[in-house]
Amino acid sequence: MKYIDEFQDPELARRLLDDIHSTVTRPWALMEVCGGQTHTIIRHGIDQLLPEKVELIHGPGCPVCVTPLEVIDKALEIASRPGVIFCSFGDMLRVPGTGRDLFQVRGAGGDVRVVYSPLDALRIAQRNPDREVVFFGIGFETTAPPNAMTVYQARRLGIRNFSLLVSHVRVPPAIEAIMRSPSCRVQGFLAAGHVCSVMGVEEYPELAERFRVPIVVTGFEPLDILEGVRRTVTQLERGEHTVDNAYPRAVRPEGNTAARAMLEDVFEVTDRAWRGIGVIPDSGWRLSAKYRDHDAEHRFSVDGIQTREPAECRSGEVLQGLLKPHECEAFGTLCTPRTPLGATMVSSEGACAAYYLYRRLDLTPAAREATPVV
Amino acid sequence: MCLAVPGRVLDIEERDGTRMANVDFGGVVKEVCLEYLPDLQVGEYAIVHVGFALQRLDEESAKQTLELFATLGMLQEEFGDPWDLAAEAAGTLPPEGEGARR
Ligand code: SF4
């Protein structure tokens, strides 16, 4: 156990690991949904500390990675227009669109600004009444409430030059799509803790029952992951499939009711395309009719954009847990954080980036053949 | 971006009809909206995501998490200059095939 001394509480980590090792009798495949969890797992070598019989499959829970190329291209198009101030979170800057990224748009004279909070973008709109300010609203259930509040405030304060380019996604329909896929091997889920901080756990029992799959709400610190794995494996060994909350310090069963109410008001559920995966029914949000004035797609005509995905990039399979990043031919050769082909190599939560940053891999073809890692 | 960081409320004020706070994240202070946790008080801890307090957290777990994030350099990732970080990623990583850094 080479990494265990690096855990915050190595004694507790060892106890959890011992417990997992003594519980497991058969092979199990678990999916961690959240990209933050993927990074923790790879950074701390958790997958290598677990019994060989427990396989962790990386899920689609990276908001930057699943944003479709078409939406990125729309963002790039809007950001390039004169008179526009385009605001975004920092991790969208280098996500490749067709041929360029936001970093390059700014280099070419576009007014692209990075904000810490969507409310900062609203303030920029207040201070620049003669400019159009657009905020790039991507993310899961954790990020949607802040963006919803910002649109609500824009409307309340009568700030007309503010709009949101929306590409929000929801976790439960993604879990359903993964379970329905004929190639699905997932037998248990570590659900994303911070998504559940907002949404609570009410959406999950029905899924757990229908697909007979345990769903354990899990945080993203190293000990949280071990505890999530321990509880999921314990259920699987006992033949159970319930929803269990292993992250109670941050997740109440009802979530954050004020945030949920705001989501209901500002957004409505819609079908969404996920990069590399395709359209998943009811898997996203768009602005509801009441807020259409603040919808950037409505305000700027950006239809008919021609997108082109790099043929070598297999991030769709990576996002569905069908392929490990280093199994992609381009990994570490054509595709690196400096020259990314896909968002999964750029994002701070992307699986390809996690493998590149935290795991030394011998990438010579001979070594690839000889030693499949993980 | 989906990272949510615990922080301690330093002071609270009403701005434009919105409840806002200064929140301390292990030394970095940011402005945070409290509309989703309206009864959060000065001195309490909460999990904050993109400038919004989303859920209360007890002091001990908050401190542990902050300590862990500081050790792992994650506070720098979250609060550092995003243009610097992007430029660094674009230009100063080790050459292809060299593998991991940090
Ligand atoms: S390594 Fe690069 S090219 Fe391969 S799947 Fe990941 S992002 Fe795409």
Side-chain angles (χ1 to χ4, degrees):
Chain A
M1 295 194 181
K2 46 187 170 168
Y3 294 94
I4 202 152
D5 296 339
E6 293 172 14
F7 279 77
Q8 206 172 15
D9 183 344
E11 255 327 291
L12 179 54
R14 191 173 304 276
R15 276 209 304 279
L16 290 169
L17 277 164
D18 285 348
D19 202 1
I20 295 168
H21 276 267
S22 64
T23 305
V24 172
T25 63
R26 275 171 289 166
W28 300 112
L30 320 182
M31 175 175 275
E32 86 276 1
V33 171
C34 157
Q37 293 170 334
T38 302
H39 272 247
T40 302
I41 288 163
I42 303 305
R43 186 174 216 157
H44 293 268
I46 290 175
D47 50 341
Q48 296 172 337
L49 294 170
L50 292 172
E52 252 175 53
K53 289 195 167 85
V54 177
E55 184 191 358
L56 291 177
I57 299 178
H58 315 313
C62 163
V64 175
C65 306
V66 300
T67 304
L69 187 58
E70 197 195 351
V71 177
I72 306 284
D73 281 345
K74 283 178 181 172
L76 294 167
E77 163 70 27
I78 293 173
S80 310
R81 297 211 182 158
V84 168
I85 302 174
F86 193 86
C87 301
S88 164
F89 295 131
D91 40 10
M92 296 308 283
L93 292 179
R94 297 199 58 248
V95 176
T98 304
R100 56 184 178 160
D101 58 27
L102 283 171
F103 198 62
Q104 289 162 333
V105 166
R106 172 157 127 152
D111 194 346
V112 179
R113 301 191 193 178
V114 174
V115 292
Y116 162 65
S117 161
L119 286 177
D120 297 341
L122 190 61
R123 201 161 310 148
I124 292 174
Q126 264 172 316
R127 290 197 190 128
N128 296 274
D130 53 334
R131 307 276 297 276
E132 279 290 328
V133 175
V134 182
F135 181 69
F136 201 176
I138 70 144
F140 284 90
E141 291 97 323
T142 327
T143 322
N147 294 347
M149 175 64 77
T150 305
V151 173
Y152 171 84
Q153 297 286 2
R155 189 164 182 265
R156 188 176 67 83
L157 299 168
I159 303 171
R160 294 177 182 281
N161 61 327
F162 177 83
S163 59
L164 194 66
L165 179 62
V166 193
S167 189
H168 282 302
V169 277
R170 303 171 56 231
V171 167
I175 288 185
E176 176 165 356
I178 286 163
M179 289 311 292
R180 282 184 185 284
S181 154
S183 43
C184 172
R185 297 188 298 119
V186 179
Q187 293 162 297
F189 284 97
L190 310 180
H194 288 151
V195 162
C196 299
S197 296
V198 171
M199 301 305 288
V201 298
E202 289 161 14
E203 293 175 289
Y204 294 107
E206 190 270 329
L207 286 170
E209 187 54 44
R210 183 149 45 107
F211 296 106
R212 307 185 65 78
V213 67
I215 301 180
V216 177
V217 177
T218 304
F220 61 92
E221 294 175 33
L223 292 171
D224 293 329
I225 308 263
L226 290 181
E227 177 62 9
V229 169
R230 189 184 72 81
R231 294 202 197 186
T232 314
V233 165
T234 303
Q235 282 203 44
L236 286 165
E237 289 283 342
R238 290 187 186 148
E240 296 169 358
H241 49 270
T242 61
V243 176
D244 184 12
N245 182 3
Y247 194 37
R249 68 180 188 276
V251 175
R252 321 263 176 280
E254 71 284 2
N256 182 320
T257 47
R260 289 175 66 183
M262 183 62 75
L263 287 172
E264 286 252 317
D265 178 46
V266 174
F267 292 129
E268 61 194 22
V269 169
T270 183
D271 299 348
R272 274 249 174 258
W274 296 49
R275 161 110 70 155
I277 297 177
V279 174
I280 303 177
D282 293 339
S283 69
W285 277 302
R286 65 170 171 223
L287 286 166
S288 57
K290 195 165 139 192
Y291 295 93
R292 191 79 15 107
D293 284 353
H294 293 284
D295 187 340
E297 291 204 51
H298 184 68
R299 193 170 295 198
F300 301 85
S301 67
V302 280
D303 288 335
I305 280 179
Q306 296 292 314
T307 63
R308 191 169 27 81
E309 301 262 8
E312 302 89 351
C313 181
R314 301 181 66 186
S315 60
E317 287 155 273
V318 170
L319 288 167
Q320 293 171 82
L322 303 174
L323 190 82
K324 293 265 162 44
H326 61 278
E327 290 162 354
C328 166
E329 275 293 311
F331 179 89
T333 53
L334 269 182
C335 179
T336 69
R338 193 191 288 194
T339 55
L341 289 179
T344 40
M345 184 56 95
V346 177
S347 165
S348 54
E349 280 136 46
C352 300
Y355 275 68
Y356 192 90
L357 290 174
Y358 306 126
R359 185 159 294 171
R360 280 184 184 280
L361 295 169
D362 186 346
L363 294 167
T364 57
R368 256 184 220 255
E369 292 272 294
T371 48
V373 189
V374 188
Chain B
M1 184 198 88
C2 248
L3 188 66
V5 183
R8 179 171 175 271
V9 178
L10 297 176
D11 54 48
I12 297 174
E13 66 163 16
E14 199 86 355
R15 183 165 341 111
D16 276 350
T18 305
R19 205 168 142 84
M20 300 291 292
N22 281 308
V23 172
D24 176 12
F25 302 94
V28 184
V29 176
K30 289 270 178 192
E31 218 167 56
V32 165
C33 177
L34 300 189
E35 288 292 305
Y36 290 140
L37 278 186
D39 51 358
L40 196 67
Q41 300 298 329
V42 171
E44 286 191 295
Y45 287 81
I47 295 181
V48 175
H49 177 57
V50 298
F52 283 72
L54 291 179
Q55 203 56 265
R56 255 196 187 76
L57 201 61
D58 66 274
E59 178 170 350
E60 200 198 318
S61 4
K63 283 185 171 160
Q64 277 182 11
T65 302
L66 270 172
E67 196 187 306
L68 175 73
F69 283 9
T71 326
L72 296 176
M74 284 159 82
L75 292 178
Q76 173 60 23
E77 259 169 52
E78 181 75 1
F79 299 119
D81 183 307
W83 291 104
D84 284 356
L85 293 172
E88 194 192 332
T92 59
L93 280 178
E96 288 81 357
E98 202 175 285
R101 58 174 193 143
R102 271 179 237 215

